[in-house]
Every structure is written in structure tokens, then in C-alpha cells.
Amino acid sequence: GGNTNPILITISELHDIIVNAFPNSDIPLENNATFSSPRQDALQWVLENPPTSTYNERRLVQRWVLATFFYSMSGDSWNNSSGWFSDNECLWAGLSCDDTENPNGITSISMEGNLLDGTLPPEISWFNESLLSLQLKNNNIKGTIPTEIGQLTKLRGINLTLNSITGPIPTETGLLENLEFLRIDQNTLTGEIPSELGLLQNVVLINIRTNKLCATMPQDICDLFSTGVLEDLQSDCIDSKVKCACCTRCWVERNPFC
């Protein structure tokens, strides 16, 4: 009987819970508070926001992943961060859950034009059992698309349009078997167009225009018009180093750079 006092968790216990939640990753996280990084700051925040005893391990990890996203993306400067760091993650601006009363698993991260500034943390792959939609259009997201995006196999929509993302389109994107919409146009993506996108049997729209890609559109992607449900394929293919025989809309690339 009676209420038990909250059991406060130690930093090394919390560190181990988080590291164990990512068995396939090498999470750069120290079990002390001597230096600052988005992951370290998130660890410190989860630790200092009791009553930690009221959160099970899944919730502790979820709160750490979201706080890592916040600190990685300059959350203090966002247009809208209302509700962030309150008790219920489902009420944090831009996030949705299936069941607000039971905040296990985020179904949508939607932050168009919210002044996000930073690199996508690979830890968002932790929402692989829940995340359906990742809508981060018109921000200042830099760096590369993490290869871990391929673990978010429930995703139906990705919109990273109008950011400053560099590097290649990860081949792992082809693992997103439920994906219907892929918009990664108007970034600074380089390299080839991965033929693995031809594995996306449910994709209706792929837009990769206004990037710095140098390639021929793989036949495997063109084949989706007949073997899949693809309706809309947009790329740079006029005066451009991208050759695309099957695009539904070709854009002029004014600065060939390959």
C-alpha cells in the first residue's frame, strides 16, 4: 500500500538503456556529463526530468530520441516548439501518435518551414514500428540522408523538399516497401540514382529534380510504371546530366556540374 517514492535513475543506467535500444549502431554517447553534443544534451535532459520512474524504458528511449532530434535541429530557434519537453510526447508540436493517452510510438513528424537547422539524426530509425510520415519540407537540413532511413519500413511518405541535403540518395531507400511518396527534390544531392528505388512497389510519386545528380534513370525505376503503381516521376532531364526516358516531367538543369 501507499505511494512509493520515484526511483531516480542514474546516468550510467540511462546510458545503458539507450545504447541497448540500438544494438546495430555505435551510439556516440558517454555515461558522464563532461561535454555537450545533441545526444549528450538529450541524455542530460531525460535524466533531469523526473519522475523518471513513471516512464518505462521504451518511453525513456523515445524521449531521448526526440530530444536528440530537437538538439540536432537547433530546436531553440524553431518557429513552433510548443509543448516540447512536456510530459506527453504526443502533444509536442509537429508530432502525432495513434493514441495520445498512450504515447508509445510516433506516427508522424511534420515540420514544414519550421526553421529546422542541422543534420537528420540516424536515431529516428528507432520509430521503425510506428512512423508513417516524415514531412520536413522547406527547412535548412544539411548533411546526408542517414542510411538508417531504410529501417523505417512503415513509412508511406517522405518529404525533404527545399533543404540543403548533400551526398547520395541512400540505396537503403529501396527497403521502404510501403512508401507511396518520395520527395527529395530541391536539395544538393549528388551521385547516381540508385536502381534500388525500383523495389518500391507502392510508390506513386518520386521527385528528385533540382539536385546535382549525374546519372541515367535506372530501367528498374522506369519499369514501375508497368509493374508497380508509379504515376509521377520528376527529374532534371533537359540540358542536364540526368538522362530519363520515362520521366513524366523533365526539368531544366541550368547548371550542369558533372
Side-chain angles (χ1 to χ4, degrees), residues 18 21-22 27 38 42-43 45-46 58-72 84 92 106 109 121-127:
I18 291 167
F22 295 90
I27 302 287
L43 179 75
W45 171 74
V46 173
R58 276 191 67 81
R59 287 287 300 285
L60 289 172
V61 175
Q62 173 165 291
R63 289 168 75 80
W64 176 79
V65 170
L66 291 170
T68 296
F69 179 83
F70 181 92
Y71 291 124
S72 298
W84 274 73
W92 297 7
I106 301 296
I109 303 175
E123 288 84 0
I124 60 167
S125 63
W126 193 74
F127 294 114

PDB file of all heavy atoms in Angstrom, residues 18 21-22 27 38 42-43 45-46 58-72 84 92 106 109 121-127:
ATOM      1  N   ILE A  18      19.712   3.283 -23.318  1.00  0.00           N
ATOM      2  CA  ILE A  18      19.706   3.867 -24.664  1.00  0.00           C
ATOM      3  C   ILE A  18      20.600   3.072 -25.606  1.00  0.00           C
ATOM      4  O   ILE A  18      20.191   2.703 -26.713  1.00  0.00           O
ATOM      5  CB  ILE A  18      20.143   5.348 -24.596  1.00  0.00           C
ATOM      6  CG1 ILE A  18      19.063   6.173 -23.888  1.00  0.00           C
ATOM      7  CG2 ILE A  18      20.417   5.900 -25.995  1.00  0.00           C
ATOM      8  CD1 ILE A  18      19.498   7.568 -23.493  1.00  0.00           C
ATOM      9  N   ALA A  21      19.133  -0.069 -26.770  1.00  0.00           N
ATOM     10  CA  ALA A  21      17.983   0.083 -27.669  1.00  0.00           C
ATOM     11  C   ALA A  21      18.432   0.145 -29.132  1.00  0.00           C
ATOM     12  O   ALA A  21      17.607   0.030 -30.036  1.00  0.00           O
ATOM     13  CB  ALA A  21      17.200   1.344 -27.313  1.00  0.00           C
ATOM     14  N   PHE A  22      19.731   0.325 -29.350  1.00  0.00           N
ATOM     15  CA  PHE A  22      20.275   0.413 -30.713  1.00  0.00           C
ATOM     16  C   PHE A  22      21.381  -0.626 -30.899  1.00  0.00           C
ATOM     17  O   PHE A  22      22.546  -0.279 -31.023  1.00  0.00           O
ATOM     18  CB  PHE A  22      20.824   1.821 -30.980  1.00  0.00           C
ATOM     19  CG  PHE A  22      19.768   2.887 -30.967  1.00  0.00           C
ATOM     20  CD1 PHE A  22      19.443   3.546 -29.781  1.00  0.00           C
ATOM     21  CD2 PHE A  22      19.087   3.223 -32.124  1.00  0.00           C
ATOM     22  CE1 PHE A  22      18.463   4.524 -29.766  1.00  0.00           C
ATOM     23  CE2 PHE A  22      18.105   4.198 -32.117  1.00  0.00           C
ATOM     24  CZ  PHE A  22      17.792   4.846 -30.942  1.00  0.00           C
ATOM     25  N   ILE A  27      26.304   4.121 -30.884  1.00  0.00           N
ATOM     26  CA  ILE A  27      25.808   5.431 -30.463  1.00  0.00           C
ATOM     27  C   ILE A  27      26.921   6.178 -29.736  1.00  0.00           C
ATOM     28  O   ILE A  27      27.423   5.702 -28.717  1.00  0.00           O
ATOM     29  CB  ILE A  27      24.594   5.282 -29.511  1.00  0.00           C
ATOM     30  CG1 ILE A  27      23.472   4.490 -30.192  1.00  0.00           C
ATOM     31  CG2 ILE A  27      24.089   6.639 -29.059  1.00  0.00           C
ATOM     32  CD1 ILE A  27      22.728   5.219 -31.250  1.00  0.00           C
ATOM     33  N   PRO A  38      24.351  17.019 -29.216  1.00  0.00           N
ATOM     34  CA  PRO A  38      22.897  16.792 -29.166  1.00  0.00           C
ATOM     35  C   PRO A  38      22.525  15.547 -28.369  1.00  0.00           C
ATOM     36  O   PRO A  38      21.590  15.580 -27.559  1.00  0.00           O
ATOM     37  CB  PRO A  38      22.528  16.644 -30.644  1.00  0.00           C
ATOM     38  CG  PRO A  38      23.520  17.510 -31.362  1.00  0.00           C
ATOM     39  CD  PRO A  38      24.805  17.329 -30.594  1.00  0.00           C
ATOM     40  N   ALA A  42      20.592  15.614 -24.775  1.00  0.00           N
ATOM     41  CA  ALA A  42      19.321  14.896 -24.663  1.00  0.00           C
ATOM     42  C   ALA A  42      19.348  13.924 -23.483  1.00  0.00           C
ATOM     43  O   ALA A  42      18.378  13.801 -22.734  1.00  0.00           O
ATOM     44  CB  ALA A  42      19.033  14.145 -25.967  1.00  0.00           C
ATOM     45  N   LEU A  43      20.483  13.256 -23.306  1.00  0.00           N
ATOM     46  CA  LEU A  43      20.651  12.332 -22.172  1.00  0.00           C
ATOM     47  C   LEU A  43      20.488  13.077 -20.860  1.00  0.00           C
ATOM     48  O   LEU A  43      19.772  12.641 -19.949  1.00  0.00           O
ATOM     49  CB  LEU A  43      22.037  11.685 -22.249  1.00  0.00           C
ATOM     50  CG  LEU A  43      22.410  10.695 -21.143  1.00  0.00           C
ATOM     51  CD1 LEU A  43      21.685   9.378 -21.349  1.00  0.00           C
ATOM     52  CD2 LEU A  43      23.909  10.449 -21.118  1.00  0.00           C
ATOM     53  N   TRP A  45      18.938  15.871 -20.370  1.00  0.00           N
ATOM     54  CA  TRP A  45      17.555  16.331 -20.182  1.00  0.00           C
ATOM     55  C   TRP A  45      16.661  15.210 -19.662  1.00  0.00           C
ATOM     56  O   TRP A  45      15.902  15.395 -18.709  1.00  0.00           O
ATOM     57  CB  TRP A  45      16.978  16.891 -21.495  1.00  0.00           C
ATOM     58  CG  TRP A  45      15.519  17.152 -21.334  1.00  0.00           C
ATOM     59  CD1 TRP A  45      14.943  18.181 -20.640  1.00  0.00           C
ATOM     60  CD2 TRP A  45      14.447  16.342 -21.806  1.00  0.00           C
ATOM     61  NE1 TRP A  45      13.573  18.049 -20.644  1.00  0.00           N
ATOM     62  CE2 TRP A  45      13.249  16.931 -21.361  1.00  0.00           C
ATOM     63  CE3 TRP A  45      14.389  15.167 -22.556  1.00  0.00           C
ATOM     64  CZ2 TRP A  45      11.987  16.391 -21.643  1.00  0.00           C
ATOM     65  CZ3 TRP A  45      13.133  14.624 -22.849  1.00  0.00           C
ATOM     66  CH2 TRP A  45      11.954  15.233 -22.394  1.00  0.00           C
ATOM     67  N   VAL A  46      16.752  14.017 -20.283  1.00  0.00           N
ATOM     68  CA  VAL A  46      15.915  12.891 -19.837  1.00  0.00           C
ATOM     69  C   VAL A  46      16.222  12.570 -18.376  1.00  0.00           C
ATOM     70  O   VAL A  46      15.327  12.322 -17.566  1.00  0.00           O
ATOM     71  CB  VAL A  46      16.137  11.639 -20.727  1.00  0.00           C
ATOM     72  CG1 VAL A  46      15.399  10.432 -20.154  1.00  0.00           C
ATOM     73  CG2 VAL A  46      15.678  11.908 -22.154  1.00  0.00           C
ATOM     74  N   ARG A  58      10.922   2.013 -22.854  1.00  0.00           N
ATOM     75  CA  ARG A  58      10.594   2.468 -24.218  1.00  0.00           C
ATOM     76  C   ARG A  58      10.359   3.980 -24.250  1.00  0.00           C
ATOM     77  O   ARG A  58      10.803   4.666 -25.165  1.00  0.00           O
ATOM     78  CB  ARG A  58       9.336   1.764 -24.741  1.00  0.00           C
ATOM     79  CG  ARG A  58       9.585   0.406 -25.350  1.00  0.00           C
ATOM     80  CD  ARG A  58       8.342  -0.097 -26.068  1.00  0.00           C
ATOM     81  NE  ARG A  58       8.018   0.703 -27.252  1.00  0.00           N
ATOM     82  CZ  ARG A  58       8.610   0.563 -28.432  1.00  0.00           C
ATOM     83  NH1 ARG A  58       9.571  -0.323 -28.600  1.00  0.00           N
ATOM     84  NH2 ARG A  58       8.254   1.326 -29.453  1.00  0.00           N
ATOM     85  N   ARG A  59       9.633   4.475 -23.256  1.00  0.00           N
ATOM     86  CA  ARG A  59       9.349   5.911 -23.212  1.00  0.00           C
ATOM     87  C   ARG A  59      10.625   6.708 -22.958  1.00  0.00           C
ATOM     88  O   ARG A  59      10.807   7.792 -23.524  1.00  0.00           O
ATOM     89  CB  ARG A  59       8.314   6.225 -22.123  1.00  0.00           C
ATOM     90  CG  ARG A  59       6.899   5.810 -22.445  1.00  0.00           C
ATOM     91  CD  ARG A  59       6.224   6.691 -23.491  1.00  0.00           C
ATOM     92  NE  ARG A  59       6.115   8.095 -23.095  1.00  0.00           N
ATOM     93  CZ  ARG A  59       5.256   8.572 -22.201  1.00  0.00           C
ATOM     94  NH1 ARG A  59       4.422   7.759 -21.574  1.00  0.00           N
ATOM     95  NH2 ARG A  59       5.225   9.861 -21.934  1.00  0.00           N
ATOM     96  N   LEU A  60      11.506   6.202 -22.110  1.00  0.00           N
ATOM     97  CA  LEU A  60      12.772   6.894 -21.866  1.00  0.00           C
ATOM     98  C   LEU A  60      13.566   7.009 -23.160  1.00  0.00           C
ATOM     99  O   LEU A  60      14.107   8.071 -23.475  1.00  0.00           O
ATOM    100  CB  LEU A  60      13.595   6.154 -20.803  1.00  0.00           C
ATOM    101  CG  LEU A  60      13.083   6.222 -19.369  1.00  0.00           C
ATOM    102  CD1 LEU A  60      13.899   5.278 -18.478  1.00  0.00           C
ATOM    103  CD2 LEU A  60      13.135   7.650 -18.825  1.00  0.00           C
ATOM    104  N   VAL A  61      13.616   5.917 -23.921  1.00  0.00           N
ATOM    105  CA  VAL A  61      14.356   5.949 -25.189  1.00  0.00           C
ATOM    106  C   VAL A  61      13.672   6.896 -26.174  1.00  0.00           C
ATOM    107  O   VAL A  61      14.326   7.698 -26.846  1.00  0.00           O
ATOM    108  CB  VAL A  61      14.495   4.529 -25.792  1.00  0.00           C
ATOM    109  CG1 VAL A  61      15.164   4.595 -27.162  1.00  0.00           C
ATOM    110  CG2 VAL A  61      15.300   3.625 -24.863  1.00  0.00           C
ATOM    111  N   GLN A  62      12.338   6.814 -26.238  1.00  0.00           N
ATOM    112  CA  GLN A  62      11.595   7.693 -27.151  1.00  0.00           C
ATOM    113  C   GLN A  62      11.863   9.166 -26.835  1.00  0.00           C
ATOM    114  O   GLN A  62      12.101   9.979 -27.736  1.00  0.00           O
ATOM    115  CB  GLN A  62      10.092   7.400 -27.034  1.00  0.00           C
ATOM    116  CG  GLN A  62       9.207   8.365 -27.810  1.00  0.00           C
ATOM    117  CD  GLN A  62       7.792   7.836 -27.966  1.00  0.00           C
ATOM    118  OE1 GLN A  62       7.559   6.867 -28.676  1.00  0.00           O
ATOM    119  NE2 GLN A  62       6.832   8.448 -27.288  1.00  0.00           N
ATOM    120  N   ARG A  63      11.836   9.510 -25.559  1.00  0.00           N
ATOM    121  CA  ARG A  63      12.072  10.897 -25.157  1.00  0.00           C
ATOM    122  C   ARG A  63      13.511  11.318 -25.482  1.00  0.00           C
ATOM    123  O   ARG A  63      13.764  12.445 -25.916  1.00  0.00           O
ATOM    124  CB  ARG A  63      11.743  11.088 -23.669  1.00  0.00           C
ATOM    125  CG  ARG A  63      10.242  11.032 -23.410  1.00  0.00           C
ATOM    126  CD  ARG A  63       9.892  10.936 -21.931  1.00  0.00           C
ATOM    127  NE  ARG A  63      10.068  12.205 -21.203  1.00  0.00           N
ATOM    128  CZ  ARG A  63       9.210  13.203 -21.203  1.00  0.00           C
ATOM    129  NH1 ARG A  63       8.098  13.135 -21.919  1.00  0.00           N
ATOM    130  NH2 ARG A  63       9.428  14.293 -20.480  1.00  0.00           N
ATOM    131  N   TRP A  64      14.450  10.361 -25.346  1.00  0.00           N
ATOM    132  CA  TRP A  64      15.835  10.667 -25.699  1.00  0.00           C
ATOM    133  C   TRP A  64      15.995  10.888 -27.207  1.00  0.00           C
ATOM    134  O   TRP A  64      16.645  11.841 -27.637  1.00  0.00           O
ATOM    135  CB  TRP A  64      16.770   9.548 -25.224  1.00  0.00           C
ATOM    136  CG  TRP A  64      18.184   9.785 -25.647  1.00  0.00           C
ATOM    137  CD1 TRP A  64      19.084  10.640 -25.060  1.00  0.00           C
ATOM    138  CD2 TRP A  64      18.860   9.214 -26.771  1.00  0.00           C
ATOM    139  NE1 TRP A  64      20.277  10.621 -25.757  1.00  0.00           N
ATOM    140  CE2 TRP A  64      20.162   9.760 -26.812  1.00  0.00           C
ATOM    141  CE3 TRP A  64      18.479   8.285 -27.750  1.00  0.00           C
ATOM    142  CZ2 TRP A  64      21.099   9.408 -27.785  1.00  0.00           C
ATOM    143  CZ3 TRP A  64      19.409   7.933 -28.727  1.00  0.00           C
ATOM    144  CH2 TRP A  64      20.705   8.498 -28.735  1.00  0.00           C
ATOM    145  N   VAL A  65      15.369  10.018 -28.016  1.00  0.00           N
ATOM    146  CA  VAL A  65      15.467  10.158 -29.477  1.00  0.00           C
ATOM    147  C   VAL A  65      14.899  11.505 -29.913  1.00  0.00           C
ATOM    148  O   VAL A  65      15.504  12.227 -30.712  1.00  0.00           O
ATOM    149  CB  VAL A  65      14.739   9.002 -30.200  1.00  0.00           C
ATOM    150  CG1 VAL A  65      14.640   9.277 -31.696  1.00  0.00           C
ATOM    151  CG2 VAL A  65      15.451   7.671 -29.960  1.00  0.00           C
ATOM    152  N   LEU A  66      13.735  11.864 -29.377  1.00  0.00           N
ATOM    153  CA  LEU A  66      13.095  13.126 -29.776  1.00  0.00           C
ATOM    154  C   LEU A  66      13.901  14.332 -29.297  1.00  0.00           C
ATOM    155  O   LEU A  66      14.037  15.319 -30.033  1.00  0.00           O
ATOM    156  CB  LEU A  66      11.665  13.174 -29.242  1.00  0.00           C
ATOM    157  CG  LEU A  66      10.718  12.170 -29.903  1.00  0.00           C
ATOM    158  CD1 LEU A  66       9.399  12.101 -29.148  1.00  0.00           C
ATOM    159  CD2 LEU A  66      10.482  12.506 -31.382  1.00  0.00           C
ATOM    160  N   ALA A  67      14.461  14.246 -28.098  1.00  0.00           N
ATOM    161  CA  ALA A  67      15.296  15.350 -27.611  1.00  0.00           C
ATOM    162  C   ALA A  67      16.574  15.453 -28.456  1.00  0.00           C
ATOM    163  O   ALA A  67      17.049  16.565 -28.742  1.00  0.00           O
ATOM    164  CB  ALA A  67      15.643  15.143 -26.135  1.00  0.00           C
ATOM    165  N   THR A  68      17.107  14.315 -28.892  1.00  0.00           N
ATOM    166  CA  THR A  68      18.269  14.324 -29.790  1.00  0.00           C
ATOM    167  C   THR A  68      17.916  15.006 -31.110  1.00  0.00           C
ATOM    168  O   THR A  68      18.690  15.809 -31.646  1.00  0.00           O
ATOM    169  CB  THR A  68      18.773  12.885 -30.041  1.00  0.00           C
ATOM    170  OG1 THR A  68      19.238  12.338 -28.805  1.00  0.00           O
ATOM    171  CG2 THR A  68      19.915  12.856 -31.043  1.00  0.00           C
ATOM    172  N   PHE A  69      16.710  14.704 -31.632  1.00  0.00           N
ATOM    173  CA  PHE A  69      16.233  15.363 -32.856  1.00  0.00           C
ATOM    174  C   PHE A  69      16.149  16.876 -32.641  1.00  0.00           C
ATOM    175  O   PHE A  69      16.609  17.672 -33.466  1.00  0.00           O
ATOM    176  CB  PHE A  69      14.864  14.787 -33.239  1.00  0.00           C
ATOM    177  CG  PHE A  69      14.247  15.388 -34.466  1.00  0.00           C
ATOM    178  CD1 PHE A  69      14.600  14.952 -35.734  1.00  0.00           C
ATOM    179  CD2 PHE A  69      13.288  16.393 -34.361  1.00  0.00           C
ATOM    180  CE1 PHE A  69      14.021  15.511 -36.872  1.00  0.00           C
ATOM    181  CE2 PHE A  69      12.710  16.952 -35.485  1.00  0.00           C
ATOM    182  CZ  PHE A  69      13.081  16.510 -36.748  1.00  0.00           C
ATOM    183  N   PHE A  70      15.597  17.284 -31.511  1.00  0.00           N
ATOM    184  CA  PHE A  70      15.448  18.704 -31.178  1.00  0.00           C
ATOM    185  C   PHE A  70      16.801  19.408 -31.149  1.00  0.00           C
ATOM    186  O   PHE A  70      17.010  20.438 -31.791  1.00  0.00           O
ATOM    187  CB  PHE A  70      14.740  18.818 -29.825  1.00  0.00           C
ATOM    188  CG  PHE A  70      14.496  20.227 -29.349  1.00  0.00           C
ATOM    189  CD1 PHE A  70      13.302  20.881 -29.644  1.00  0.00           C
ATOM    190  CD2 PHE A  70      15.443  20.893 -28.564  1.00  0.00           C
ATOM    191  CE1 PHE A  70      13.065  22.180 -29.180  1.00  0.00           C
ATOM    192  CE2 PHE A  70      15.216  22.186 -28.108  1.00  0.00           C
ATOM    193  CZ  PHE A  70      14.009  22.830 -28.417  1.00  0.00           C
ATOM    194  N   TYR A  71      17.741  18.829 -30.404  1.00  0.00           N
ATOM    195  CA  TYR A  71      19.057  19.474 -30.267  1.00  0.00           C
ATOM    196  C   TYR A  71      19.871  19.383 -31.565  1.00  0.00           C
ATOM    197  O   TYR A  71      20.682  20.272 -31.850  1.00  0.00           O
ATOM    198  CB  TYR A  71      19.839  18.866 -29.103  1.00  0.00           C
ATOM    199  CG  TYR A  71      19.259  19.203 -27.748  1.00  0.00           C
ATOM    200  CD1 TYR A  71      18.887  18.211 -26.843  1.00  0.00           C
ATOM    201  CD2 TYR A  71      19.076  20.531 -27.359  1.00  0.00           C
ATOM    202  CE1 TYR A  71      18.351  18.517 -25.599  1.00  0.00           C
ATOM    203  CE2 TYR A  71      18.539  20.852 -26.110  1.00  0.00           C
ATOM    204  CZ  TYR A  71      18.181  19.841 -25.242  1.00  0.00           C
ATOM    205  OH  TYR A  71      17.652  20.151 -24.018  1.00  0.00           O
ATOM    206  N   SER A  72      19.667  18.335 -32.363  1.00  0.00           N
ATOM    207  CA  SER A  72      20.371  18.203 -33.651  1.00  0.00           C
ATOM    208  C   SER A  72      19.879  19.226 -34.659  1.00  0.00           C
ATOM    209  O   SER A  72      20.583  19.567 -35.607  1.00  0.00           O
ATOM    210  CB  SER A  72      20.151  16.810 -34.249  1.00  0.00           C
ATOM    211  OG  SER A  72      20.672  15.807 -33.419  1.00  0.00           O
ATOM    212  N   TRP A  84       7.009  21.049 -26.513  1.00  0.00           N
ATOM    213  CA  TRP A  84       8.199  20.197 -26.478  1.00  0.00           C
ATOM    214  C   TRP A  84       8.752  20.123 -25.054  1.00  0.00           C
ATOM    215  O   TRP A  84       8.803  21.121 -24.343  1.00  0.00           O
ATOM    216  CB  TRP A  84       9.262  20.695 -27.458  1.00  0.00           C
ATOM    217  CG  TRP A  84       9.023  20.122 -28.832  1.00  0.00           C
ATOM    218  CD1 TRP A  84       8.027  20.477 -29.696  1.00  0.00           C
ATOM    219  CD2 TRP A  84       9.739  19.059 -29.463  1.00  0.00           C
ATOM    220  NE1 TRP A  84       8.091  19.706 -30.834  1.00  0.00           N
ATOM    221  CE2 TRP A  84       9.137  18.833 -30.722  1.00  0.00           C
ATOM    222  CE3 TRP A  84      10.846  18.290 -29.098  1.00  0.00           C
ATOM    223  CZ2 TRP A  84       9.592  17.851 -31.611  1.00  0.00           C
ATOM    224  CZ3 TRP A  84      11.309  17.319 -29.984  1.00  0.00           C
ATOM    225  CH2 TRP A  84      10.684  17.105 -31.229  1.00  0.00           C
ATOM    226  N   TRP A  92       3.734  17.321 -28.396  1.00  0.00           N
ATOM    227  CA  TRP A  92       4.829  18.184 -28.825  1.00  0.00           C
ATOM    228  C   TRP A  92       4.545  18.628 -30.259  1.00  0.00           C
ATOM    229  O   TRP A  92       4.204  17.804 -31.116  1.00  0.00           O
ATOM    230  CB  TRP A  92       6.166  17.444 -28.755  1.00  0.00           C
ATOM    231  CG  TRP A  92       6.571  17.015 -27.357  1.00  0.00           C
ATOM    232  CD1 TRP A  92       5.833  17.097 -26.216  1.00  0.00           C
ATOM    233  CD2 TRP A  92       7.817  16.414 -26.970  1.00  0.00           C
ATOM    234  NE1 TRP A  92       6.534  16.593 -25.142  1.00  0.00           N
ATOM    235  CE2 TRP A  92       7.752  16.171 -25.579  1.00  0.00           C
ATOM    236  CE3 TRP A  92       8.964  16.067 -27.666  1.00  0.00           C
ATOM    237  CZ2 TRP A  92       8.810  15.588 -24.869  1.00  0.00           C
ATOM    238  CZ3 TRP A  92      10.026  15.491 -26.961  1.00  0.00           C
ATOM    239  CH2 TRP A  92       9.951  15.256 -25.571  1.00  0.00           C
ATOM    240  N   ILE A 106       5.736   7.269 -32.349  1.00  0.00           N
ATOM    241  CA  ILE A 106       5.333   8.477 -33.060  1.00  0.00           C
ATOM    242  C   ILE A 106       4.954   8.057 -34.482  1.00  0.00           C
ATOM    243  O   ILE A 106       5.713   7.346 -35.143  1.00  0.00           O
ATOM    244  CB  ILE A 106       6.500   9.493 -33.096  1.00  0.00           C
ATOM    245  CG1 ILE A 106       6.939   9.868 -31.671  1.00  0.00           C
ATOM    246  CG2 ILE A 106       6.136  10.726 -33.905  1.00  0.00           C
ATOM    247  CD1 ILE A 106       5.901  10.576 -30.848  1.00  0.00           C
ATOM    248  N   ILE A 109       6.054  12.915 -38.109  1.00  0.00           N
ATOM    249  CA  ILE A 109       6.864  14.083 -37.768  1.00  0.00           C
ATOM    250  C   ILE A 109       6.649  15.070 -38.901  1.00  0.00           C
ATOM    251  O   ILE A 109       7.049  14.812 -40.035  1.00  0.00           O
ATOM    252  CB  ILE A 109       8.356  13.728 -37.627  1.00  0.00           C
ATOM    253  CG1 ILE A 109       8.561  12.628 -36.567  1.00  0.00           C
ATOM    254  CG2 ILE A 109       9.172  14.963 -37.265  1.00  0.00           C
ATOM    255  CD1 ILE A 109      10.009  12.133 -36.453  1.00  0.00           C
ATOM    256  N   PRO A 121      19.299  13.078 -37.428  1.00  0.00           N
ATOM    257  CA  PRO A 121      19.976  12.062 -36.623  1.00  0.00           C
ATOM    258  C   PRO A 121      19.499  10.656 -37.012  1.00  0.00           C
ATOM    259  O   PRO A 121      18.298  10.428 -37.160  1.00  0.00           O
ATOM    260  CB  PRO A 121      19.555  12.401 -35.189  1.00  0.00           C
ATOM    261  CG  PRO A 121      18.275  13.146 -35.317  1.00  0.00           C
ATOM    262  CD  PRO A 121      18.265  13.800 -36.669  1.00  0.00           C
ATOM    263  N   PRO A 122      20.441   9.727 -37.203  1.00  0.00           N
ATOM    264  CA  PRO A 122      20.046   8.366 -37.593  1.00  0.00           C
ATOM    265  C   PRO A 122      19.137   7.692 -36.578  1.00  0.00           C
ATOM    266  O   PRO A 122      18.416   6.758 -36.916  1.00  0.00           O
ATOM    267  CB  PRO A 122      21.386   7.620 -37.713  1.00  0.00           C
ATOM    268  CG  PRO A 122      22.408   8.490 -37.063  1.00  0.00           C
ATOM    269  CD  PRO A 122      21.900   9.891 -37.106  1.00  0.00           C
ATOM    270  N   GLU A 123      19.134   8.201 -35.343  1.00  0.00           N
ATOM    271  CA  GLU A 123      18.318   7.570 -34.295  1.00  0.00           C
ATOM    272  C   GLU A 123      16.819   7.621 -34.564  1.00  0.00           C
ATOM    273  O   GLU A 123      16.064   6.891 -33.915  1.00  0.00           O
ATOM    274  CB  GLU A 123      18.613   8.219 -32.933  1.00  0.00           C
ATOM    275  CG  GLU A 123      19.962   7.855 -32.358  1.00  0.00           C
ATOM    276  CD  GLU A 123      21.094   8.714 -32.901  1.00  0.00           C
ATOM    277  OE1 GLU A 123      20.870   9.616 -33.728  1.00  0.00           O
ATOM    278  OE2 GLU A 123      22.244   8.477 -32.491  1.00  0.00           O
ATOM    279  N   ILE A 124      16.368   8.462 -35.517  1.00  0.00           N
ATOM    280  CA  ILE A 124      14.920   8.437 -35.790  1.00  0.00           C
ATOM    281  C   ILE A 124      14.490   7.076 -36.335  1.00  0.00           C
ATOM    282  O   ILE A 124      13.309   6.756 -36.344  1.00  0.00           O
ATOM    283  CB  ILE A 124      14.434   9.570 -36.725  1.00  0.00           C
ATOM    284  CG1 ILE A 124      15.113   9.500 -38.088  1.00  0.00           C
ATOM    285  CG2 ILE A 124      14.615  10.938 -36.082  1.00  0.00           C
ATOM    286  CD1 ILE A 124      14.417  10.389 -39.113  1.00  0.00           C
ATOM    287  N   SER A 125      15.478   6.259 -36.748  1.00  0.00           N
ATOM    288  CA  SER A 125      15.149   4.898 -37.191  1.00  0.00           C
ATOM    289  C   SER A 125      14.510   4.084 -36.064  1.00  0.00           C
ATOM    290  O   SER A 125      13.901   3.045 -36.319  1.00  0.00           O
ATOM    291  CB  SER A 125      16.408   4.179 -37.671  1.00  0.00           C
ATOM    292  OG  SER A 125      17.335   4.029 -36.598  1.00  0.00           O
ATOM    293  N   TRP A 126      14.617   4.580 -34.836  1.00  0.00           N
ATOM    294  CA  TRP A 126      14.015   3.874 -33.704  1.00  0.00           C
ATOM    295  C   TRP A 126      12.494   3.785 -33.842  1.00  0.00           C
ATOM    296  O   TRP A 126      11.868   2.894 -33.276  1.00  0.00           O
ATOM    297  CB  TRP A 126      14.388   4.586 -32.387  1.00  0.00           C
ATOM    298  CG  TRP A 126      14.061   3.757 -31.191  1.00  0.00           C
ATOM    299  CD1 TRP A 126      14.722   2.648 -30.752  1.00  0.00           C
ATOM    300  CD2 TRP A 126      12.969   3.952 -30.288  1.00  0.00           C
ATOM    301  NE1 TRP A 126      14.109   2.140 -29.625  1.00  0.00           N
ATOM    302  CE2 TRP A 126      13.035   2.929 -29.318  1.00  0.00           C
ATOM    303  CE3 TRP A 126      11.943   4.885 -30.200  1.00  0.00           C
ATOM    304  CZ2 TRP A 126      12.124   2.819 -28.280  1.00  0.00           C
ATOM    305  CZ3 TRP A 126      11.035   4.780 -29.154  1.00  0.00           C
ATOM    306  CH2 TRP A 126      11.127   3.760 -28.210  1.00  0.00           C
ATOM    307  N   PHE A 127      11.887   4.686 -34.635  1.00  0.00           N
ATOM    308  CA  PHE A 127      10.424   4.680 -34.812  1.00  0.00           C
ATOM    309  C   PHE A 127      10.000   3.749 -35.944  1.00  0.00           C
ATOM    310  O   PHE A 127       8.970   3.961 -36.583  1.00  0.00           O
ATOM    311  CB  PHE A 127       9.923   6.108 -35.055  1.00  0.00           C
ATOM    312  CG  PHE A 127      10.107   7.001 -33.856  1.00  0.00           C
ATOM    313  CD1 PHE A 127      10.983   8.074 -33.889  1.00  0.00           C
ATOM    314  CD2 PHE A 127       9.431   6.750 -32.678  1.00  0.00           C
ATOM    315  CE1 PHE A 127      11.163   8.884 -32.776  1.00  0.00           C
ATOM    316  CE2 PHE A 127       9.605   7.552 -31.550  1.00  0.00           C
ATOM    317  CZ  PHE A 127      10.471   8.613 -31.597  1.00  0.00           C
TER     318      PHE A 127
END
